[in-house]
Structure formats: structure tokens, C-alpha cells
């Protein structure tokens, strides 16, 4: 049996290509500032993960050969069956009735955590606990945790990020299924997630699986498309089909749900690390967006200042044609500044050579001038040359880059 869900490798390739492109654009666009943000994110991530690992080691019960040897033996056996050479550090954690398990990684070391309620609920079917163990080993074996930082930019994209997250869950369910000795144990494990610690015994897997046929409607399609997990009824349908030696065909999703989901970025991941990831990603994007937006505003005001300069040069040019010389002042040329946006602090003309100087009102460039220098060509026509002087060319239009 192939332990990797059919779409995961394709989605991983797309995620990797998109993420590398975004990282490259961020590094180039921020002139390397994205690397600093990446370092800050890594430091924040280390603090968050160290808090989690410290909490586990200080609160949860470590599963060892001496402490809960039955669970330790199951973890070792699952690792061997799934081809994981080094068993992760494992803990049992009481979570107030929550049924789950998770894997995490800190400084190259892997951890898996089993919630005590799900272990207690499956005491009479301990092979079903292998499903949870195998599922988390799947995350480790497929390097989902190792690749998460590199894939972070694409992970927040609509449709793509959630699709890859759901594909990973299907892959890990296959690992959990393969870790069980009894082919029906994976169904028991999912039944406990669905019905709880007691009622799972009475759950009809067939009827529960039939609920998957309702998942093709608009709203169920939409909420699955923006979520990190497939509907549990669909996961049950998959492991039930695997137990029968088949591959299930899931109901199609509503087409319009894709359009709406395309407008929703992936924000459904949880935990402190994810919050820090959002903060770091927003910070990196801000490092690009804020300077770009500021440049946009400056460019717009510079364009307004240059338009004012064009009106002044036109007045000087008319005066030259009429009098054969430049004006002593702009007022003498009949020019009155029209600057409703207050883009210009001052404007003047040099009576000696006719040069018009425009002083932008932007605080960053106070005292610096855009110079319009006239010359007379072979046809006795006045030609103007614009230059920004000490003002950066990136905020000036191409005509003033000389």
C-alpha cells in the first residue's frame, strides 16, 4: 500500500516552487531585510517551541520502557513497521477530555504526544491506539515538520495551503492504518474521535461513512476548502475502504465554493507557533509593503511637483520667445503657482540661465530641488532637461533621471 496520499507530492512541488519564488522576491525586494525577519522569526519560534517542550517535560508523563511500557512498546513497534529508524520522544498528556495527539519538532528532535483520554477510551481496543501513534509518525516520516518553515509563504495562500494541509492528513491516516495489526482498528480510532470515549462502541461505521455524501453541498465544500482537515466522515470513508482493499471516491465539491474559498487565506492553523508565524509573515510582508507604499506616495507627490515645474517652464519659455531673454522672476513671466495638493514648497527661476528650480514639500527632501535646465537647439527652440540632483531617481519619473 502506498503510504503517501495521491495528491501530496504534487501539492508539495507546487508549494515549494511558490515558496521559493516568494522568498526570493522578499529577499530582493527588501534588500536582504527578509533575512533579518527570518532570523527574528526563528528566534521567536525557538522560544515558542521551547515553551511547549518545557511544558511537556514539566507536566506530561514521558513514555519509556519503565513508564507505561505497553505504550512504549507500541511506539517502538509502529516506528519499526513504518520505517522510522529513531523513535521520537513520547509523552502522555491529560487534556481535560480532548481526544487527539500531535507531533512537534524542536532543534532537530522529534516529539509525539498522546492525549490520555483517547488512550483510556481505547483501553479495550489498544490496537486502535496504533492509529494515533502511526498518524503522528507519518508527520515525522514525511518531514512535514521539517519543511513547514520553508513552505510558510505558500502555506497562507487560499486553496493551495489548505489543500496541502489536508493531503498531509490523508497521508498520515494511511500511516496510522498501516501501523494497526487489525485492519478495522483505524476505524475504531476515528470512531472515538467522532463519538467520544463511550459511544464509539455503538457507532455504525457504515452509517457514519454515508454522511460523507452530504459533504458536496456549497457550505460544507467551502468550509472544507478553507480548513486544514478533511471532514472526519471522509477520513472514515478512506480507512474503511482501505480495510476492504479499495480506494474510495469522495463526493465532488460545489464549484462556486472554490470561488469563495479563493478569497480566504489559510489562517486555520493553530498553536503558538502558528501565531508567531502569522506575526513573522506579516512583518516580512510589511517590510516589503511599507517601503513600496511610501515610495508610491512620494512618487505621486513628485509627479505633482514636476507638473508644477512644467507649468513654470512653459511660462519662462513663452517669455523667452517674446523677449529673447529669460525673465528676472516667475512673476515677470506671468506665472502664478497653481498647486492645490501642496506638493511644492517653493519654486524659482535663475535670471542668468533661465533654470527653473522646484523644491518639493516632502519632508524627506526639503531643501533639495528638481532642476529644469533650458537650452536652445539648432532650430532655435527651447528644450528643457530635468534632473533630480540629490533626490533619488527611484521616486522621480524617467524624464528626470538624467
Amino acid at each position: 500500500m502506498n503510504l503517501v496520499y495521491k495528491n501530496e507530492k504534487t501539492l508539495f512541488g507546487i508549494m515549494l516552487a511558490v515558496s521559493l519564488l516568494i522568498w526570493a522576491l522578499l529577499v530582493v525586494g527588501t534588500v536582504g531585510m527578509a533575512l533579518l525577519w527570518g532570523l527574528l522569526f526563528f528566534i521567536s519560534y525557538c522560544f515558542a517551541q521551547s515553551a511547549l517542550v518545557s511544558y511537556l517535560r514539566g507536566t506530561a508523563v514521558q513514555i519509556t520502557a519503565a513508564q507505561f511500557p505497553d505504550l512504549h512498546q507500541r511506539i517502538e513497534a509502529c516506528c519499526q513497521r513504518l520505517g522510522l529508524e529513531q523513535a521520537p520522544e513520547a509523552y502522555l498528556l491529560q487534556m481535560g477530555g480532548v481526544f487527539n495527539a500531535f507531533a512537534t519538532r524542536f532543534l532537530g528532535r522529534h516529539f509525539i504526544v498522546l492525549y490520555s483520554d483517547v488512550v483510556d477510551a481505547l483501553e479495550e481496543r489498544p490496537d486502535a491506539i496504533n492509529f494515533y501513534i502511526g498518524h503522528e509518525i507519518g508527520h515525522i516520516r514525511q518531514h512535514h515538520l521539517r519543511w513547514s518553515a520553508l513552505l510558510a509563504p505558500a502555506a497562507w495562500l487560499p486553496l493551495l495551503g489548505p489543500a496541502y494541509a489536508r493531503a498531509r492528513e490523508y497521508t498520515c491516516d494511511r500511516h496510522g492504518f498501516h501501523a494497526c495489526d487489525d485492519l478495522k482498528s483505524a476505524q475504531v480510532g476515528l470512531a472515538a474521535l467522532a463519538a467520544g470515549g463511550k459511544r464509539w462502541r455503538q457507532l455504525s461505521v457504515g452509517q457514519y461513512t454515508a454522511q460523507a455524501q452530504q459533504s458536496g453541498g456549497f457550505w460544507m465544500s467551502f468550509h472544507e476548502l478553507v480548513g486544514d482537515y478533511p471532514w472526519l466522515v471522509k477520513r472514515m470513508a478512506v480507512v474503511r475502504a482501505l480495510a476492504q482493499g479499495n480506494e474510495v471516491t469522495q463526493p465532488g465539491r460545489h464549484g462556486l465554493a472554490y470561488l469563495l474559498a479563493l478569497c480566504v487565506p489559510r489562517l486555520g492553523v493553530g498553536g503558538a507557533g502558528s501565531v508567531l508565524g502569522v506575526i513573522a509573515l506579516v512583518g516580512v510582508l510589511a517590510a516589503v509593503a511599507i517601503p513600496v507604499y511610501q515610495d508610491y506616495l512620494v512618487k505621486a507627490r513628485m509627479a505633482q511637483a514636476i507638473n508644477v515645474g512644467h507649468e513654470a517652464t512653459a511660462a519662462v519659455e513663452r517669455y523667452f520667445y517674446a523677449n529673447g531673454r529669460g525673465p528676472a522672476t516667475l512673476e515677470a513671466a506671468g506665472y502664478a503657482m497653481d498647486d492645490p495638493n501642496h506638493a511644492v514648497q517653493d519654486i524659482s527661476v535663475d535670471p542668468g540661465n533661465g533654470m527653473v528650480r522646484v523644491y518639493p514639500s516632502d519632508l524627506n527632501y526639503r531643501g533639495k530641488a528638481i532642476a529644469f535646465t533650458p537650452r536652445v537647439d539648432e532650430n532655435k527652440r527651447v528644450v528643457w532637461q530635468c534632473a533630480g540632483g540629490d533626490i533619488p531617481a527611484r521616486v522621480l519619473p524617467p524624464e528626470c533621471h538624467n
Side-chain angles (χ1 to χ4, degrees), residues 202-214 233 236 240:
Q202 302 169 30
L203 183 139
S204 168
V205 173
Q207 293 183 34
Y208 184 64
T209 301
Q211 291 179 215
Q213 299 305 314
Q214 304 172 21
V233 290
M236 179 69 86
R240 187 185 187 211

Side-chain angles (χ1 to χ4, degrees), residues 77-324:
C78 288
C79 289
Q80 184 175 3
R81 176 172 292 184
L82 294 171
L84 189 67
E85 294 182 0
Q86 183 176 0
E89 197 170 309
Y91 289 87
L92 184 69
L93 181 64
Q94 194 282 123
M95 286 295 289
V98 177
F99 280 51
N100 211 341
F102 69 88
T104 189
R105 186 172 187 262
F106 181 60
L107 298 180
R109 186 168 182 81
H110 291 101
F111 302 81
I112 62 170
V113 180
L114 303 177
Y115 288 6
S116 59
D117 288 278
V118 74
V119 173
D120 293 342
L122 298 174
E123 187 173 5
E124 64 186 63
R125 290 290 299 272
D127 187 49
I129 299 172
N130 286 19
F131 173 77
Y132 290 87
I133 297 171
H135 182 101
E136 303 311 327
I137 289 175
H139 284 300
I140 297 171
R141 183 175 178 270
Q142 294 304 121
H143 307 297
H144 292 160
L145 306 173
R146 180 178 298 175
W147 286 102
S148 58
L150 181 61
L151 300 180
W156 306 105
L157 295 178
L159 292 180
L160 178 60
Y164 178 61
R166 293 192 302 272
R168 295 192 314 180
E169 292 305 311
Y170 277 129
T171 289
C172 291
D173 279 354
R174 297 173 82 91
H175 280 73
F177 174 83
H178 189 64
C180 298
D181 294 321
D182 186 337
L183 295 182
K184 293 185 178 181
S185 291
Q187 299 170 56
V188 173
L190 289 175
L193 277 183
K198 295 181 180 180
R199 288 285 181 172
W200 70 262
R201 298 170 181 83
Q202 302 169 30
L203 183 139
S204 168
V205 173
Q207 293 183 34
Y208 184 64
T209 301
Q211 291 179 215
Q213 299 305 314
Q214 304 172 21
S215 65
F218 175 81
W219 288 114
M220 287 195 71
S221 297
F222 167 73
H223 287 291
E224 186 178 34
L225 287 170
V226 300
D228 283 3
Y229 292 88
W231 293 122
L232 194 59
V233 290
K234 296 173 78 170
R235 293 171 64 186
M236 179 69 86
V238 170
V239 297
R240 187 185 187 211
L242 290 175
Q244 297 170 352
N246 302 320
E247 292 285 346
V248 69
T249 300
Q250 300 285 18
R253 298 190 182 97
H254 197 287
L256 292 178
Y258 284 92
L259 295 178
L260 183 58
L262 188 61
C263 303
V264 181
R266 177 182 174 241
L267 297 175
V269 287
S274 298
V275 173
L276 289 169
V278 173
I279 294 172
L281 187 61
V282 169
V284 171
L285 294 176
V288 177
I290 292 176
V292 170
Y293 181 65
Q294 289 175 337
D295 279 356
Y296 167 78
L297 293 179
V298 173
K299 286 178 180 179
R301 292 184 64 78
M302 287 296 177
Q304 294 168 1
I306 288 170
N307 286 335
V308 172
H310 286 158
E311 294 172 359
T313 59
V316 171
E317 188 173 331
R318 288 193 297 269
Y319 185 92
F320 175 81
Y321 289 140
N323 300 280

